[in-house]
């Protein structure tokens, strides 16, 4: 018997049928109990509403009595004339007449004018919010340690000149009165500032003592019916004030709703007792036969879940035995799957080397306990290789490189592929210079890709480390900085140099603080004049940006503009610069209507299709003519995406904005593109101008550039003029405009305005000097 799980379940059904009487009895009792409980709760809920209505009716009656006093002409006259004796007498008499235990008068600001009892500042503070309204108010308050139903009515003449209030104690007489209406026992609970409880109740004294221990539980769940086996009443609590310091409890005696239920329960208990006993005996026998093997299987499954190698329990070959075999098979499958997942999580699928996750897991322990050398390798221009050979051959190349790294001697502690074409090697020793050279040379021989020999340029960053010196993130950052230096040098080996961290942190600080600097006034604009040689007049200038950092001090534009371009924030600077310059041009229109100011644009700006519309909106916003604005672009910026750049430049030129090629001669443009550019001006870089009077090659370049530009219809500006000799040469070469320290350094806005005014008055003398 009970040899199969099926037979056991058949036996269970027989036992369940035997226990049907017990289930039926339980359901019957539960239904009756629920019905009796529901009836009791309904009775309490109705009584609670009656209780609230009684309080409301009492409040209405009291309010009418107090309104009569507030409307009394003599009382209002006494208040208006501040007749204190009359006020005190009226409050005392009227309070006695309506059985008020407290009578008081407040001014419109809530200050106490008169009271039949001594009130402290705390009591008055409770009453003060009432004076913020304009109509009668009824509230239940704790005053002088006692609970009052306060009625506050404004005294008008015709505006509110005071508030008269009457207070009526909430005590046993009130509870008895409400008991007579509801037929229930009533209790009032009062809480002081220290959470001490004061009980006022119509309950018998023994019941009051039992109730005291249950008050906290009852007040924690307001408007809920509470049942307790050790208390002969069911109770429903209701908070009478907003701060829940005064509670009313309604009690219904148990014998009012449990009598019929208890009688029937006794009968059912006797009927079902015998059947329940039989059911328990049968359930015990059944559970004993099946619980032991199931417990063993549960322990075995728990061990599998925890990854423990546990022997399966010896169980008979029934359905439970089949389940045991299934669990054993699952244990083996989970172990194999865990091993596979662990390898996938820690290894690169392409090369079989460790991945970044595995490096971050292993590196901290090694850095804390050992010395060694960390190497990061990068393939120079790997994207170009991928584009040329295809992604599949690029993957093969990475696999071949990984094989060479893995077979290198001395063997590394581990090799890893961090991402793309970046690899990491860790040696648990400080490698000598010769060992590093040998490693680099071992990677140089050509790699055979489907019969084609491919030579790679490898950049290797090196970071020797000592135990306990720095974290894993610091080590990875430092070796990455070293590798970047090697890559920028075109390949080879580069060691981490002390101080590179500070440079990196400085760049991060600049990137982080740039948005704040733009809005907080740290950045400002200076203007360098551009003088026309023919007329010896200044009608244009170049706007240059400056940054005075509160902690880093003055930051060179070369530094923070390059950092902004690399981080993708250059558009923030451009937008700020354009708005600042256009706004300043608007203020100069009246004094210098012919002045034109140039702003530099980056490659990212030229590729922005919204740039022309943004500039148009700015000019319209500040009512500045487009001819007052000039834009300067570099040759290298034009070469980023020539078709898009030329399209944007054409839109800007159609707006009548002056366009110039900045730093001409130092970029990468060709004459073929130059003739297509819709520009008005070419600016010769200062590298060809500053020594023009002594360097014949510079002189030849400047002469040729001027002739070429004039031939193409462009005007020419020379940057970097520093002396009289250079000015004379540029004049003879036919240069149109010059810019440099010879005339003025870049000036702040106010200084530039003064310079313009001064320069205009000295134009004649300057012209004589330059002849």
């Amino acid at each position: 018997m009970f040899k199969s799980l099926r037979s056991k379940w058949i036996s269970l059904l027989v036992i369940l049928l035997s226990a049907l009487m017990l289930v039926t009895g339980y359901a019957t009792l539960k239904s009756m109990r629920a019905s009796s409980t529901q009836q009791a709760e309904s009775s309490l809920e109705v009584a609670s509403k009656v209780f609230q209505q009684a309080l409301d009716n009492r409040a209405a009656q009291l309010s009418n009595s107090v309104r009569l006093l507030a409307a009394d002409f003599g009382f209002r006259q006494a208040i208006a004339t501040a007749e204190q004796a009359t006020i005190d007498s009226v409050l005392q008499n009227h309070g006695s007449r309506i059985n008020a235990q407290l009578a008081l008068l407040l001014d419109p600001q809530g200050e106490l004018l008169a009271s039949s009892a001594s009130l402290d500042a705390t009591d008055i503070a409770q009453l003060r919010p009432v004076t913020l309204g304009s109509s009668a108010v009824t509230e239940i308050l704790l005053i002088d340690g006692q609970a009052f139903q306060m009625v506050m009515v404004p005294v008008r003449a015709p505006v509110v000149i005071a508030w008269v209030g009457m207070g009526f104690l909430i005590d046993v007489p009130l509870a008895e009165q409400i008991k007579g209406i509801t037929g229930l026992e009533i209790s009032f609970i009062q809480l002081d500032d220290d959470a001490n409880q004061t009980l006022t109740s119509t309950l018998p004294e023994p019941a009051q003592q039992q109730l005291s221990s249950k008050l906290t539980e009852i007040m924690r769940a307001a408007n809920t019916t509470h049942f307790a086996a050790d208390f002969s009443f069911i109770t429903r609590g209701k908070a009478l004030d907003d701060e829940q310091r005064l509670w009313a409890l309604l009690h219904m005696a148990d014998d009012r709703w449990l009598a019929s239920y208890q009688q029937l329960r006794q009968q059912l208990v006797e009927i079902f007792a015998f059947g329940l006993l039989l059911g328990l005996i049968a359930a015990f026998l059944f559970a004993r036969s099946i619980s032991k093997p199931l417990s063993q299987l549960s322990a075995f499954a728990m061990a599998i879940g925890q990854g423990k190698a546990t022997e399966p329990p010896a169980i008979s070959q029934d359905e439970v035995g089949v389940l045991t075999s299934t669990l054993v098979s699952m244990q083996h499958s989970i172990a194999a799957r865990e091993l596979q997942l662990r390898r996938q999580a820690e290894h690169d699928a392409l090369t079989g080397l460790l991945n970044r996750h595995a490096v971050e897991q292993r590196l901290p322990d090694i850095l804390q306990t050992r010395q060694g050398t960390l190497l990061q390798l990068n393939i120079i221009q790997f994207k170009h290789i991928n584009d040329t050979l295809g992604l599949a051959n690029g993957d093969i190349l990475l696999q071949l490189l990984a094989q060479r790294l893995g077979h290198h001697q001395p063997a590394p502690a581990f090799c890893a592929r961090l991402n793309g074409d970046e690899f990491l090697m860790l040696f648990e020793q400080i490698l000598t210079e010769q060992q590093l050279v040998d490693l680099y040379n071992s990677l140089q021989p050509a790699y055979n890709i489907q019969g084609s020999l491919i030579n790679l340029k490898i950049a290797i960053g090196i970071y020797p480390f000592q135990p306990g010196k720095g974290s894993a993130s610091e080590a990875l950052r430092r070796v990455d900085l070293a590798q970047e230096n090697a890559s920028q040098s075109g390949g080879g080996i580069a060691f981490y140099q002390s101080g590179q961290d500070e440079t990196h942190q400085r760049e991060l600080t600049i990137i982080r603080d740039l948005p704040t600097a733009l809005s907080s006034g740290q950045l400002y604009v200076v203007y360098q004049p551009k003088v026309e040689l023919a007329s010896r007049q200044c009608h244009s200038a170049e706007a240059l940006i400056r940054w005075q950092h509160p902690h880093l001090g003055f930051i060179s534009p070369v530094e923070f503009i390059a950092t902004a371009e690399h981080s993708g924030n250059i558009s923030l600077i451009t937008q700020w610069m354009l708005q600042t310059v256009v706004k300043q041009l608007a203020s100069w229109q009246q004094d210098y209507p012919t002045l034109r100011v140039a702003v530099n644009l980056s490659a990212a700006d030229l590729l922005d299709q919204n740039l022309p519309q943004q500039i148009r909106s700015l000019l319209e916003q500040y009512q500045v003519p487009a001819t007052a604005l000039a834009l300067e672009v570099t040759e290298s910026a034009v070469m980023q995406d020539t078709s898009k750049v030329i399209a944007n430049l054409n839109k800007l030129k159609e707006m009548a904005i002056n366009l110039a090629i900045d730093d001409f001669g130092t970029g990468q443009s060709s004459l073929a593109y130059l003739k297509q550019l819709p520009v008005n001006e070419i600016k010769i870089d200062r590298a060809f101008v500053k020594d023009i009077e002594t360097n014949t090659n510079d002189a030849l370049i400047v002469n040729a550039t001027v002739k070429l530009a004039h031939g193409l219809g462009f005007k020419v500006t020379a940057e970097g003029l520093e002396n009289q000799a250079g000015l004379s040469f540029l004049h003879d070469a036919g240069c149109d405009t010059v810019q440099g320290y010879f005339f003025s350094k870049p000036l702040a806005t106010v200084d530039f305005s003064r310079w313009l005014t001064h320069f205009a008055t000295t134009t004649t003398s300057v012209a004589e000097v330059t002849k």
Side-chain angles (χ1 to χ4, degrees), residues 694-710:
T694 59
N695 190 314
T696 56
N697 289 332
D698 287 346
L700 289 172
I701 292 173
V702 170
N703 271 315
T705 302
V706 171
K707 292 179 181 178
L708 173 65
H710 285 164

Side-chain angles (χ1 to χ4, degrees), residues 534-574:
S535 62
R536 297 298 193 270
Q537 293 181 353
C538 177
H539 296 294
S540 58
E542 180 179 3
L544 304 169
I545 192 169
R546 298 290 184 265
W547 187 355
Q548 186 66 35
H549 194 281
H551 303 297
L552 302 180
F554 180 77
I555 305 177
S556 168
V558 175
E559 179 182 5
F560 72 79
I561 287 177
T563 302
E565 286 181 333
H566 295 156
S567 62
N569 291 327
I570 190 63
S571 61
L572 296 177
I573 296 178
T574 303

Side-chain angles (χ1 to χ4, degrees), residues 462-520:
I462 302 166
Y463 173 59
F465 60 87
Q466 297 296 326
K469 302 292 185 181
S471 64
S473 61
E474 289 176 346
L476 290 173
R477 185 177 69 247
R478 289 172 178 176
V479 74
D480 183 66
L481 289 173
Q483 182 257 302
E484 285 184 5
N485 288 339
S487 297
Q488 291 173 2
S489 301
I493 297 173
F495 282 84
Y496 168 76
Q497 301 295 328
S498 178
Q500 288 180 336
D501 266 346
E502 288 74 8
T503 302
H504 179 67
Q505 290 299 329
R506 179 181 174 89
E507 291 178 352
L508 292 179
T509 300
I510 290 174
I511 294 172
R512 181 198 65 201
D513 293 350
L514 179 59
T516 302
L518 290 169
S519 60
S520 62

Side-chain angles (χ1 to χ4, degrees), residues 14-71:
V14 174
I15 296 171
L16 290 176
L17 290 175
S18 303
L20 181 60
M21 291 178 61
L22 177 62
V23 175
T24 304
Y26 172 76
T28 302
L29 287 174
K30 184 176 180 181
S31 176
M32 291 183 60
R33 174 81 180 193
S35 177
S36 298
T37 301
Q38 185 177 4
Q39 291 177 8
E41 289 181 343
S42 298
S43 299
L44 275 180
E45 185 175 355
V46 171
S48 176
K49 294 179 180 178
V50 173
F51 170 80
Q52 184 62 52
Q53 185 63 42
L55 286 181
D56 293 342
N57 291 339
R58 186 170 183 262
Q61 295 171 1
L62 297 177
S63 295
N64 291 334
S65 298
V66 179
R67 282 193 179 94
L68 291 176
L69 176 59

